Amino acid sequence: MNKLASFLLVSCISVGVIPHTTFASEATAHAQTVKRHHMKPFAHLEKRLLSDKAIRHLELTQTQQTELKAVFATYKAQLEDLKEAYPAKPREAFKAIIEADTFDKTQAQLLLEERSPKKQAFMLTMLEARHAIHHILTDEQRSKIAKRKRKLMARKHHQNDN
């Protein structure tokens, strides 16, 4: 029993000695991944449609691939311009409102109203791009994507049930 107690004590002390930079670097890497994802709104869609596997599965022609790349390039530039129009640190502005001694409803409404038209423009650009992509693909390719999406959603739903 004495050996077990001393082993646990040494284990607890050694965990405290581990440099916090190890954990900080993991958190930083995650934050950079999240930031990278938000910086490139089309990255996931582009990767999904223009990967080698997707090209083979959907049997995309060379012209379709070229058209898709052009759509992604066009709308990426538009979305980046919209992202630059966003306030630099909106979370800090929201945090300042939350942490204030009294709730400033007018300031909160101004902040939300400021973001609303930009968010609408962002969503409009995303919808335009998805429309363009939808019409580049054939009916057969669209049905393959829909079938794959249903399969993925069923798998995710099944995982959530367990």
PDB file of all heavy atoms in Angstrom, residues 64-77:
ATOM      1  N   GLN A  64     -15.507  20.332 -66.950  1.00  0.00           N
ATOM      2  CA  GLN A  64     -16.205  20.550 -65.686  1.00  0.00           C
ATOM      3  C   GLN A  64     -15.216  20.938 -64.582  1.00  0.00           C
ATOM      4  O   GLN A  64     -15.482  21.835 -63.788  1.00  0.00           O
ATOM      5  CB  GLN A  64     -16.980  19.308 -65.261  1.00  0.00           C
ATOM      6  CG  GLN A  64     -18.245  19.068 -66.046  1.00  0.00           C
ATOM      7  CD  GLN A  64     -18.938  17.795 -65.611  1.00  0.00           C
ATOM      8  OE1 GLN A  64     -18.292  16.773 -65.407  1.00  0.00           O
ATOM      9  NE2 GLN A  64     -20.248  17.868 -65.464  1.00  0.00           N
ATOM     10  N   GLN A  65     -14.083  20.248 -64.550  1.00  0.00           N
ATOM     11  CA  GLN A  65     -13.063  20.560 -63.551  1.00  0.00           C
ATOM     12  C   GLN A  65     -12.574  21.993 -63.717  1.00  0.00           C
ATOM     13  O   GLN A  65     -12.430  22.735 -62.736  1.00  0.00           O
ATOM     14  CB  GLN A  65     -11.889  19.585 -63.664  1.00  0.00           C
ATOM     15  CG  GLN A  65     -12.215  18.170 -63.246  1.00  0.00           C
ATOM     16  CD  GLN A  65     -11.058  17.235 -63.499  1.00  0.00           C
ATOM     17  OE1 GLN A  65      -9.907  17.573 -63.214  1.00  0.00           O
ATOM     18  NE2 GLN A  65     -11.339  16.067 -64.046  1.00  0.00           N
ATOM     19  N   THR A  66     -12.350  22.392 -64.955  1.00  0.00           N
ATOM     20  CA  THR A  66     -11.880  23.751 -65.242  1.00  0.00           C
ATOM     21  C   THR A  66     -12.939  24.773 -64.824  1.00  0.00           C
ATOM     22  O   THR A  66     -12.614  25.802 -64.212  1.00  0.00           O
ATOM     23  CB  THR A  66     -11.562  23.905 -66.743  1.00  0.00           C
ATOM     24  OG1 THR A  66     -10.666  22.868 -67.125  1.00  0.00           O
ATOM     25  CG2 THR A  66     -10.954  25.252 -67.045  1.00  0.00           C
ATOM     26  N   GLU A  67     -14.215  24.492 -65.150  1.00  0.00           N
ATOM     27  CA  GLU A  67     -15.293  25.404 -64.783  1.00  0.00           C
ATOM     28  C   GLU A  67     -15.431  25.504 -63.262  1.00  0.00           C
ATOM     29  O   GLU A  67     -15.636  26.595 -62.724  1.00  0.00           O
ATOM     30  CB  GLU A  67     -16.613  24.941 -65.393  1.00  0.00           C
ATOM     31  CG  GLU A  67     -16.688  25.121 -66.887  1.00  0.00           C
ATOM     32  CD  GLU A  67     -17.959  24.526 -67.485  1.00  0.00           C
ATOM     33  OE1 GLU A  67     -18.802  24.002 -66.726  1.00  0.00           O
ATOM     34  OE2 GLU A  67     -18.095  24.580 -68.711  1.00  0.00           O
ATOM     35  N   LEU A  68     -15.322  24.372 -62.573  1.00  0.00           N
ATOM     36  CA  LEU A  68     -15.407  24.382 -61.108  1.00  0.00           C
ATOM     37  C   LEU A  68     -14.269  25.194 -60.499  1.00  0.00           C
ATOM     38  O   LEU A  68     -14.482  25.991 -59.578  1.00  0.00           O
ATOM     39  CB  LEU A  68     -15.396  22.955 -60.556  1.00  0.00           C
ATOM     40  CG  LEU A  68     -16.681  22.139 -60.739  1.00  0.00           C
ATOM     41  CD1 LEU A  68     -16.455  20.701 -60.314  1.00  0.00           C
ATOM     42  CD2 LEU A  68     -17.813  22.758 -59.939  1.00  0.00           C
ATOM     43  N   LYS A  69     -13.061  25.011 -61.030  1.00  0.00           N
ATOM     44  CA  LYS A  69     -11.918  25.779 -60.521  1.00  0.00           C
ATOM     45  C   LYS A  69     -12.141  27.271 -60.733  1.00  0.00           C
ATOM     46  O   LYS A  69     -11.812  28.089 -59.867  1.00  0.00           O
ATOM     47  CB  LYS A  69     -10.626  25.320 -61.195  1.00  0.00           C
ATOM     48  CG  LYS A  69     -10.148  23.963 -60.711  1.00  0.00           C
ATOM     49  CD  LYS A  69      -8.919  23.509 -61.458  1.00  0.00           C
ATOM     50  CE  LYS A  69      -8.535  22.095 -61.041  1.00  0.00           C
ATOM     51  NZ  LYS A  69      -7.419  21.572 -61.820  1.00  0.00           N
ATOM     52  N   ALA A  70     -12.709  27.638 -61.877  1.00  0.00           N
ATOM     53  CA  ALA A  70     -12.980  29.052 -62.161  1.00  0.00           C
ATOM     54  C   ALA A  70     -14.026  29.605 -61.191  1.00  0.00           C
ATOM     55  O   ALA A  70     -13.882  30.722 -60.684  1.00  0.00           O
ATOM     56  CB  ALA A  70     -13.456  29.213 -63.601  1.00  0.00           C
ATOM     57  N   VAL A  71     -15.076  28.821 -60.926  1.00  0.00           N
ATOM     58  CA  VAL A  71     -16.114  29.257 -59.982  1.00  0.00           C
ATOM     59  C   VAL A  71     -15.508  29.450 -58.603  1.00  0.00           C
ATOM     60  O   VAL A  71     -15.753  30.465 -57.938  1.00  0.00           O
ATOM     61  CB  VAL A  71     -17.274  28.231 -59.938  1.00  0.00           C
ATOM     62  CG1 VAL A  71     -18.172  28.468 -58.740  1.00  0.00           C
ATOM     63  CG2 VAL A  71     -18.067  28.293 -61.223  1.00  0.00           C
ATOM     64  N   PHE A  72     -14.710  28.488 -58.161  1.00  0.00           N
ATOM     65  CA  PHE A  72     -14.093  28.599 -56.841  1.00  0.00           C
ATOM     66  C   PHE A  72     -13.188  29.826 -56.760  1.00  0.00           C
ATOM     67  O   PHE A  72     -13.222  30.563 -55.773  1.00  0.00           O
ATOM     68  CB  PHE A  72     -13.309  27.333 -56.482  1.00  0.00           C
ATOM     69  CG  PHE A  72     -14.185  26.173 -56.114  1.00  0.00           C
ATOM     70  CD1 PHE A  72     -14.087  24.973 -56.783  1.00  0.00           C
ATOM     71  CD2 PHE A  72     -15.114  26.276 -55.088  1.00  0.00           C
ATOM     72  CE1 PHE A  72     -14.898  23.905 -56.439  1.00  0.00           C
ATOM     73  CE2 PHE A  72     -15.923  25.222 -54.729  1.00  0.00           C
ATOM     74  CZ  PHE A  72     -15.822  24.029 -55.412  1.00  0.00           C
ATOM     75  N   ALA A  73     -12.412  30.067 -57.797  1.00  0.00           N
ATOM     76  CA  ALA A  73     -11.507  31.218 -57.787  1.00  0.00           C
ATOM     77  C   ALA A  73     -12.290  32.530 -57.737  1.00  0.00           C
ATOM     78  O   ALA A  73     -11.949  33.437 -56.969  1.00  0.00           O
ATOM     79  CB  ALA A  73     -10.608  31.184 -59.018  1.00  0.00           C
ATOM     80  N   THR A  74     -13.346  32.626 -58.535  1.00  0.00           N
ATOM     81  CA  THR A  74     -14.154  33.846 -58.582  1.00  0.00           C
ATOM     82  C   THR A  74     -14.803  34.143 -57.241  1.00  0.00           C
ATOM     83  O   THR A  74     -14.684  35.246 -56.703  1.00  0.00           O
ATOM     84  CB  THR A  74     -15.254  33.714 -59.657  1.00  0.00           C
ATOM     85  OG1 THR A  74     -14.638  33.455 -60.911  1.00  0.00           O
ATOM     86  CG2 THR A  74     -16.107  34.961 -59.735  1.00  0.00           C
ATOM     87  N   TYR A  75     -15.488  33.150 -56.720  1.00  0.00           N
ATOM     88  CA  TYR A  75     -16.248  33.391 -55.495  1.00  0.00           C
ATOM     89  C   TYR A  75     -15.354  33.457 -54.260  1.00  0.00           C
ATOM     90  O   TYR A  75     -15.696  34.127 -53.292  1.00  0.00           O
ATOM     91  CB  TYR A  75     -17.357  32.355 -55.334  1.00  0.00           C
ATOM     92  CG  TYR A  75     -18.478  32.619 -56.314  1.00  0.00           C
ATOM     93  CD1 TYR A  75     -18.623  31.865 -57.464  1.00  0.00           C
ATOM     94  CD2 TYR A  75     -19.369  33.655 -56.099  1.00  0.00           C
ATOM     95  CE1 TYR A  75     -19.635  32.122 -58.362  1.00  0.00           C
ATOM     96  CE2 TYR A  75     -20.382  33.928 -56.989  1.00  0.00           C
ATOM     97  CZ  TYR A  75     -20.517  33.161 -58.124  1.00  0.00           C
ATOM     98  OH  TYR A  75     -21.513  33.437 -59.016  1.00  0.00           O
ATOM     99  N   LYS A  76     -14.208  32.800 -54.281  1.00  0.00           N
ATOM    100  CA  LYS A  76     -13.266  32.927 -53.165  1.00  0.00           C
ATOM    101  C   LYS A  76     -12.817  34.379 -53.030  1.00  0.00           C
ATOM    102  O   LYS A  76     -12.751  34.921 -51.934  1.00  0.00           O
ATOM    103  CB  LYS A  76     -12.025  32.051 -53.392  1.00  0.00           C
ATOM    104  CG  LYS A  76     -12.119  30.681 -52.845  1.00  0.00           C
ATOM    105  CD  LYS A  76     -10.754  30.037 -52.991  1.00  0.00           C
ATOM    106  CE  LYS A  76     -10.834  28.555 -52.966  1.00  0.00           C
ATOM    107  NZ  LYS A  76      -9.528  27.933 -53.170  1.00  0.00           N
ATOM    108  N   ALA A  77     -12.518  34.997 -54.167  1.00  0.00           N
ATOM    109  CA  ALA A  77     -12.075  36.397 -54.147  1.00  0.00           C
ATOM    110  C   ALA A  77     -13.179  37.298 -53.591  1.00  0.00           C
ATOM    111  O   ALA A  77     -12.911  38.183 -52.771  1.00  0.00           O
ATOM    112  CB  ALA A  77     -11.680  36.842 -55.546  1.00  0.00           C
TER     113      ALA A  77
END
